[in-house]
């Protein structure tokens, strides 16, 4: 059963339940109010009669005309002595002749059933010299009351059937209206699956209900998937391009060696050297790609590290390796942070290597603490980065214009690796740069208190 059918059925069931409860309340309230009204009316007639006549005269046949004048429709009045003998009886309702005699010590009104008829009975004791000498009884068959109840039942049943039909009709319309966005989402998903399009749902401007939130979440998911797909296509294109160049070089030199390398020692040595260099470049690039994949799949262990000491050690190693000056400035004696020692050193190597490549002057590393965050800043005085390129620096294979080509040895993977490592450490990285003045890379990690 579809959700639309379930929702329609649920609306009908709830409507039916509400109708049953409402009809029951209306029916029993009407019956109770009508019975109470009839009992009150008969009680007023009986008590009014007792106020008009003398007790001694009630047993006199001369009372019959008076009793006849106050006799209710479809009713009976009878005077009964204490021996249960009916002295006077007025009325022609045969159904009332068989009423059981009931002597009451006080005025009493009751509703009884006799042979399927509803009968209201008023009884009052007759006293003489403080002695009960008999009973006066007024009774009435509620034929019109039963007819009214039947009419009420007919109306309630008819109205209920009509409302149920309307509930079914409007239930279908309502479910169709409310589930239309869900149907649109389903259709959109089918189109995405069939045609490979990143189609989104048109959102209403005024409505902001749960269906709107569902559609909005769906659209954001589509945007996210489209972004991932585009990045994947860009990655494949960039990776293919990066691999194509060294493979072409290797292929060309292999062809040259095959033709002339055997007879030309200089060309042979050059070809072997070039093939080795290009093979190393391919190997390094593949290793970096594997590192990127491993970072996302295998989270590393977070530990307390001495950030100040690791910065000094890494700077010293690079100074020896590059014969360049790297100055480390720290606000306090030792700043501790939360990361992974090996991965943090890898981050420093990537950022310092970039700073040394694109700057000929001294590189500065500043270590400080801002409340609960450890802050590391790598500052160079190099060529700088155009402002519109900064947001894309952490994308794989992204390099800034011709000044950052393969001549510098970069493949556009270092910052992507550093970004992923910092993110895994629950840290942040930002870049500020000005052309021909320099660049500041800021890394923040959680400090260890």
């Amino acid at each position: 059963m579809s959700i639309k059918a379930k929702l329609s059925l649920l609306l009908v069931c709830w409507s039916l339940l509400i109708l049953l409860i409402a009809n029951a309340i209306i029916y029993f309230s009407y019956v109770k109010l009508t019975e109470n009204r009839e009992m009150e009316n008969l009680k007023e007639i009986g008590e009014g009669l007792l106020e008009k006549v003398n007790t001694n005269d009630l047993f006199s046949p001369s009372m019959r005309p008076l009793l006849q004048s106050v006799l209710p429709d479809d009713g009976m009045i009878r005077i009964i002595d204490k021996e249960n003998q009916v002295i006077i009886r007025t009325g022609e309702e045969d159904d009332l002749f068989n009423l059981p005699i009931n002597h009451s010590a006080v005025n009493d009104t009751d509703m009884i059933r006799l042979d399927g008829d509803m009968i209201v009975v008023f009884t009052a004791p007759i006293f003489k010299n403080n002695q009960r000498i008999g009973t006066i009884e007024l009774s009435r068959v509620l034929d019109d009351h039963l007819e009214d109840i039947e009419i009420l039942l007919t109306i309630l049943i008819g109205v209920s059937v009509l409302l149920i039909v309307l509930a079914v009709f409007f239930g279908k319309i309502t479910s169709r209206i409310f589930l239309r966005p869900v149907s649109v989402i389903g259709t959109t998903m089918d189109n995405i699956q069939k045609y490979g399009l990143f189609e989104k749902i048109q959102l209403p401007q005024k409505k902001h209900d749960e269906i709107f939130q569902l559609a909005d979440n769906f659209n954001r998911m589509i945007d996210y998937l489209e972004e991932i797909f585009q990045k994947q296509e860009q990655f494949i294109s960039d990776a293919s391009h990066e691999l194509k160049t060294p493979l072409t070089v290797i292929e060309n030199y292999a062809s040259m060696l095959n033709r002339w390398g055997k007879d030309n020692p200089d060309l042979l040595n050059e070809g072997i050297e070039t093939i080795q260099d290009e093979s190393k470049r391919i190997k390094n690039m593949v290793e970096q790609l594997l590192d990127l994949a491993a970072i996302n799949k295998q989270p590393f262990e977070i530990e307390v590290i001495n950030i100040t000491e690791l910065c000094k050690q890494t700077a010293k190693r690079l100074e020896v390796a590059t014969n360049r000056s790297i100055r480390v400035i720290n606000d306090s004696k030792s700043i501790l942070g939360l990361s992974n020692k090996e991965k943090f050193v890898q981050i420093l190597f990537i950022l310092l290597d970039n700073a040394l490549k694109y700057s000929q002057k001294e590189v500065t590393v500043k270590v400080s603490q801002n409340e609960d965050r450890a802050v590391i800043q790598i500052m160079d005085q190099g060529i700088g980065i155009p402002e519109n390129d900064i947001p894309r620096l952490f994308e794989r294979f992204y390099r800034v214009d011709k000044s950052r080509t393969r001549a510098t040895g970069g493949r556009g993977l270092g910052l992507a690796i550093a970004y992923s490592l910092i993110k895994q450490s629950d840290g942040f990285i930002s870049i500020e740069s000005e052309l021909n003045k320099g660049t500041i890379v800021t890394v923040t990690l959680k400090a260890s208190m």
Side-chain angles (χ1 to χ4, degrees):
M1 185 182 291
S2 65
I3 295 179
K4 190 181 295 183
K6 289 180 180 177
L7 183 58
S8 299
L9 181 61
L10 182 63
L11 288 172
V12 171
C13 290
W14 275 112
S15 300
L16 183 59
L17 179 62
I18 293 171
L19 278 174
L20 289 174
I21 295 173
N23 288 346
I25 293 173
I26 292 171
Y27 174 79
F28 289 109
S29 298
Y30 176 79
V31 170
K32 190 66 177 175
L33 289 172
T34 305
E35 289 179 353
N36 288 340
R37 186 181 66 222
E38 293 292 340
M39 292 168 67
E40 284 295 325
N41 290 340
L42 196 62
K43 181 180 179 182
E44 288 180 6
I45 294 173
E47 290 179 345
L49 177 63
L50 291 174
E51 290 177 358
K52 291 179 181 179
V53 299
N54 192 322
T55 303
N56 296 326
D57 296 334
L58 282 174
F59 291 91
S60 172
S62 60
M63 288 299 300
R64 186 177 296 273
L66 178 61
L67 298 177
Q68 193 70 36
S69 66
V70 297
L71 178 68
D73 295 336
D74 300 325
M76 179 186 71
I77 300 176
R78 59 184 180 180
I79 308 298
I80 308 164
D81 64 14
K82 61 180 181 180
E83 305 299 334
N84 288 341
Q85 295 296 319
V86 178
I87 306 302
I88 299 174
R89 178 169 58 200
T90 61
E92 298 179 356
E93 284 291 330
D94 296 336
D95 295 336
L96 299 176
F97 292 167
N98 298 322
L99 277 177
I101 296 173
N102 178 31
H103 291 287
S104 176
V106 293
N107 294 358
D108 183 40
T109 308
D110 197 8
M111 186 74 65
I112 63 174
R113 282 188 176 272
L114 183 64
D115 298 330
D117 293 325
M118 291 292 296
I119 301 173
V120 58
V121 180
F122 170 77
T123 56
I126 302 172
F127 290 96
K128 184 178 181 179
N129 298 325
N130 294 327
Q131 295 292 323
R132 188 173 64 82
I133 60 174
T135 300
I136 182 172
E137 179 185 271
L138 287 78
S139 57
R140 180 173 180 263
V141 178
L142 301 179
D143 289 336
D144 53 350
H145 173 63
L146 294 176
E147 290 176 1
D148 291 342
I149 291 176
E150 290 178 0
I151 294 172
L152 177 64
L153 280 175
T154 303
I155 293 173
L156 291 177
I157 293 172
V159 171
S160 298
V161 171
L162 177 62
L163 290 177
I164 290 172
V165 172
L166 292 175
V168 173
F169 176 72
F170 286 107
K172 288 184 177 181
I173 294 177
T174 302
S175 60
R176 189 177 303 163
I177 292 172
F178 279 105
L179 295 177
R180 186 178 298 161
V182 179
S183 300
V184 172
I185 293 175
T187 303
T188 305
M189 288 180 174
D190 289 338
N191 291 338
I192 292 172
Q193 184 178 5
K194 287 179 182 178
Y195 308 111
L197 301 175
F198 291 99
E199 186 178 346
K200 293 193 288 186
I201 299 169
Q202 294 295 328
L203 297 176
Q205 297 297 322
K206 295 182 179 180
K207 294 182 179 179
H208 293 277
D209 53 13
E210 290 80 2
I211 298 294
F212 176 90
Q213 292 176 0
L214 175 64
D216 185 50
N217 290 337
F218 177 83
N219 286 347
R220 283 192 275 112
M221 181 190 68
I222 291 298
D223 288 336
Y224 177 70
L225 292 176
E226 186 175 11
E227 182 183 356
I228 291 177
F229 182 77
Q230 290 174 350
K231 286 183 177 180
Q232 184 180 7
E233 283 192 327
Q234 185 66 39
F235 169 75
I236 293 172
S237 174
D238 293 340
S240 301
H241 177 75
E242 292 294 328
L243 288 170
K244 182 180 179 181
T245 302
L247 288 174
T248 302
V249 172
I250 291 172
E251 182 184 13
N252 291 339
Y253 268 94
S255 298
M256 290 174 58
L257 291 176
N258 187 42
R259 292 182 181 181
W260 304 294
K262 297 175 183 178
D263 302 323
N264 190 335
D266 293 336
L267 180 62
L268 179 63
N269 291 333
E270 180 186 349
I272 292 173
E273 214 174 285
T274 302
I275 290 172
Q276 283 181 335
D277 289 342
E278 296 299 326
S279 298
K280 286 179 182 178
R281 289 179 59 179
I282 293 175
K283 180 183 176 183
N284 290 337
M285 183 175 68
V286 171
E287 286 177 350
Q288 286 186 320
L289 289 173
L290 291 174
D291 285 344
L292 268 175
I295 291 170
N296 295 324
K297 290 184 178 180
Q298 300 175 357
F300 47 79
E301 181 181 355
I302 300 297
E303 57 188 342
V304 178
I305 59 172
N306 190 324
I307 292 177
T308 305
E309 192 62 33
L310 288 175
C311 286
K312 289 179 179 179
Q313 292 175 4
T314 306
K316 188 174 182 180
R317 290 178 192 171
L318 283 173
E319 280 184 327
V320 174
T322 61
N323 197 25
R324 295 278 302 278
S325 174
I326 302 175
R327 186 162 59 105
V328 178
I329 304 173
N330 59 294
D331 291 346
S332 58
K333 188 174 182 181
S334 183
I335 294 176
L336 304 179
L338 298 176
S339 184
N340 179 278
K341 182 178 179 181
E342 179 184 345
K343 302 302 180 184
F344 180 72
V345 171
Q346 185 179 357
I347 293 168
L348 289 177
F349 265 109
I350 292 171
L351 299 179
L352 287 172
D353 182 58
N354 278 348
L356 292 169
K357 281 179 184 176
Y358 304 112
S359 171
Q360 300 304 317
K361 297 181 180 180
E362 182 182 62
V363 173
T364 303
V365 179
K366 183 180 179 181
V367 184
S368 60
Q369 184 167 341
N370 184 7
E371 297 181 354
D372 62 340
R373 309 294 293 187
V375 182
I376 307 98
Q377 290 182 303
I378 292 90
M379 297 173 280
D380 66 58
Q381 304 173 59
I383 60 177
I385 305 168
E387 186 178 353
N388 59 333
D389 287 314
I390 292 176
R392 299 191 60 190
L393 289 177
F394 303 113
E395 296 179 12
R396 291 173 288 188
F397 296 112
Y398 185 80
R399 291 194 295 267
V400 180
D401 60 40
K402 295 180 180 179
S403 65
R404 301 195 175 204
T405 60
R406 202 177 287 105
T408 62
R411 285 172 291 276
L413 291 172
L415 285 177
I417 293 173
Y419 176 80
S420 297
L421 291 173
I422 293 168
K423 190 176 179 181
Q424 285 274 0
S425 301
D426 198 18
F428 305 94
I429 181 171
S430 62
I431 297 178
E432 301 174 34
S433 186
E434 191 173 347
L435 285 175
N436 301 319
K437 289 190 176 182
T439 301
I440 301 174
V441 180
T442 303
V443 176
T444 61
L445 298 171
K446 286 185 177 179
S448 178
M449 300 299 182

